[in-house]
Amino acid sequence: MIRRIPAPWLVLDIIGAVFGLLITVPLSMSFSSGQLSFWLPDISATTVLVVASLLIWGAAAISRLSPPIALILAWTGALLQMGGGLPPLPIDVAIFGVLFATSAWGTKRMLWLGGASAVGGGVLGGLYIGLLQYDVNAVAAPAPIEMRLVLLSVTMGLTIVLSLAMAWGAGLLWRVVRQSRANREAQLRAETMAAEEQERVRIARDMHDIVAHSLAVVIAQSDGARYAAAARPELAQEALVTIAQTARSALSDVRMLLTQLRHRQGDGPQPTLADLEALFSQVRQAGVEPRVTVDPMPQADPPGAIQLAVYRILQEALTNAIRHGEGDVDVHLSWWVERVDITVRNRVASPAAVPALGAQPILHGGHGLIGMRERAQLVGGSLTVQHEPHWFTVRATLPIGPSAN
């Protein structure tokens, strides 16, 4: 029954209704040079006019706040006006505002009640005008005038219906505009939320890659330092230096990602192919030698998304080799014109612990395996992870083209 609207809009509606009342009431009183009502004395007709004006313009004042109450007040004022024998007057302009409000801001039921009121009010108004003209013409010319009055009633009724329907239709158009704006805003909010969610997933993936790789290096170096502390202290010192450097680098990367998450800024500096040597160096310091083969070499500078995907896939694959592998790891990169092929192969520490899957690709795995597959799919590529006897192999194919940009 009552909507929530901003106070300034309510004040503006009330002020507008007051101005309309002050302007239309004097015009309505001077509308007829003779008797104001067709069957009431002037004093009673003036009282009816004032009360009807207050009801109709009061309805206009609260039409945005409560379209149902406004429609009830407007109908009450209009019926009182017709019951008092008053002709159509300037005060009736407020009814257009009420019908506009029923279709613009009312509920769906109120929308159709407003449309029915426009049609019903027009028909009733046409019959009422015909009745008034019948009284006037019945005194001036006693000859039969029924047909002429019927045509007059139909004509005036259609005119009033069209006028009221235009006000109701204008409100309906405004309702459609408002709903379209609301739908567009909801769509933009949904797109923003989806983009933010994708950004959080990207940051979480980067966080996992950074932390998992760094912790693997730290654990390997810690174990090496513990074993070498007694026999060769200089090796333990080198391991501690490597641990410190790896931890500082990981902390810096994590802080950068947290800053992006907190402030929703754009992408910060991302790893490229130039950072692969530093990655291989960290793996060597962890005690695993990556045997890297690049054939053929890249013909041009690959897209940034491809470089990032290659780096993250190699980082995760080498991290798995450090944590679960045994011995060195073979890394092969093939930079073709239309794609890049990545193969990372290492011996597994415990073949008995590997499920007997032969050479079938593993479709499920931990967060790291899922992250690698998502990295490849993000740029339109594919990735498979295979358990073979004594070997663990990661193969990825990433397209180099428009889909990768």
Side-chain angles (χ1 to χ4, degrees):
M1 292 294 291
I2 298 178
R3 300 171 58 244
R4 284 187 176 184
I5 63 173
W9 286 110
L10 179 59
V11 173
L12 184 63
D13 291 343
I14 294 175
I15 293 176
V18 170
F19 273 105
L21 180 68
L22 296 177
I23 293 174
T24 58
V25 168
L27 289 176
S28 299
M29 288 183 176
S30 61
F31 186 76
S32 176
S33 58
Q35 190 176 1
L36 183 61
S37 173
F38 284 89
W39 50 72
L40 291 179
D42 287 343
I43 297 179
S44 300
T46 301
T47 303
V48 171
L49 173 63
V50 172
V51 175
S53 301
L54 290 174
L55 289 173
I56 294 174
W57 280 105
I62 64 170
S63 60
R64 195 197 307 258
L65 178 67
S66 179
I69 297 177
L71 187 62
I72 293 173
L73 292 178
W75 266 108
T76 304
L79 292 175
L80 179 63
Q81 179 182 350
M82 289 186 287
L86 301 178
L89 297 171
I91 61 172
D92 298 323
V93 174
I95 296 177
F96 293 104
V98 174
L99 290 176
F100 178 91
T102 57
S103 57
W105 299 297
T107 61
K108 186 173 292 187
R109 179 181 297 179
M110 201 67 238
L111 168 69
W112 296 115
L113 285 176
S117 296
V119 176
V123 173
L124 185 60
L127 294 175
Y128 176 68
I129 292 175
L131 176 64
L132 295 182
Q133 294 301 315
Y134 179 81
D135 288 343
V136 172
N137 288 277
V139 176
I145 58 171
E146 284 79 5
M147 184 58 65
R148 185 155 53 89
L149 292 180
V150 168
L151 292 176
L152 176 64
S153 298
V154 172
T155 302
M156 294 304 298
L158 289 176
T159 302
I160 296 174
V161 167
L162 289 176
S163 301
L164 297 178
M166 287 180 63
W168 179 83
L172 180 60
L173 180 61
W174 180 245
R175 184 191 192 97
V176 172
V177 171
R178 290 175 52 246
Q179 289 180 347
S180 177
R181 289 179 178 176
N183 292 339
R184 179 57 181 166
E185 291 175 357
Q187 180 183 359
L188 292 176
R189 286 195 297 270
E191 291 176 354
T192 301
M193 292 177 62
E196 291 178 352
E197 182 63 25
Q198 291 178 357
E199 181 69 6
R200 284 192 290 268
V201 171
R202 183 192 68 80
I203 292 174
R205 189 185 297 117
D206 286 347
M207 188 82 73
H208 172 271
D209 294 344
I210 293 169
V211 173
H213 174 75
S214 301
L215 287 180
V217 173
V218 168
I219 292 171
Q221 290 291 318
S222 299
D223 291 338
R226 186 175 70 247
Y227 296 139
R232 301 183 62 183
E234 67 278 3
L235 294 181
Q237 185 68 23
E238 293 178 2
L240 293 176
V241 171
T242 301
I243 291 173
Q245 292 176 347
T246 304
R248 288 192 186 96
S249 177
L251 181 60
S252 176
D253 291 340
V254 168
R255 283 175 175 172
M256 181 189 68
L257 292 175
L258 292 178
T259 300
Q260 294 178 28
L261 183 63
R262 185 181 301 114
H263 300 290
R264 298 180 182 177
Q265 296 175 344
D267 291 344
Q270 297 294 335
T272 63
L273 298 182
D275 299 305
L276 286 179
E277 187 55 42
L279 175 65
F280 297 147
S281 178
Q282 290 181 343
V283 174
R284 293 187 186 97
Q285 292 173 353
V288 176
E289 179 63 31
R291 295 188 290 263
V292 182
T293 303
V294 181
D295 184 29
M297 297 289 292
Q299 300 298 319
D301 195 20
I306 294 295
Q307 297 189 45
L308 176 61
V310 170
Y311 182 92
R312 293 306 187 194
I313 290 173
L314 287 177
Q315 184 182 48
E316 180 61 33
L318 292 173
T319 300
N320 288 337
I322 294 174
R323 296 171 59 186
H324 308 295
E326 184 179 69
D328 298 335
V329 56
D330 293 320
V331 178
H332 187 84
L333 292 174
S334 298
W335 292 93
W336 308 102
V337 176
E338 73 284 355
R339 73 182 192 277
V340 54
D341 295 329
I342 305 171
T343 302
V344 180
R345 194 165 184 262
N346 64 277
R347 295 184 64 87
V348 292
S350 177
V354 178
L357 297 178
Q360 298 296 324
I362 299 175
L363 300 180
H364 303 284
H367 189 280
L369 301 183
I370 295 175
M372 285 193 293
R373 188 171 290 113
E374 289 178 349
R375 287 284 183 183
Q377 293 174 351
L378 192 63
V379 294
S382 61
L383 183 141
T384 59
V385 180
Q386 294 180 325
H387 274 153
E388 302 171 355
H390 305 284
W391 293 97
F392 185 84
T393 306
V394 175
R395 292 188 177 90
T397 299
L398 310 180
I400 302 177
S403 62
N405 293 329

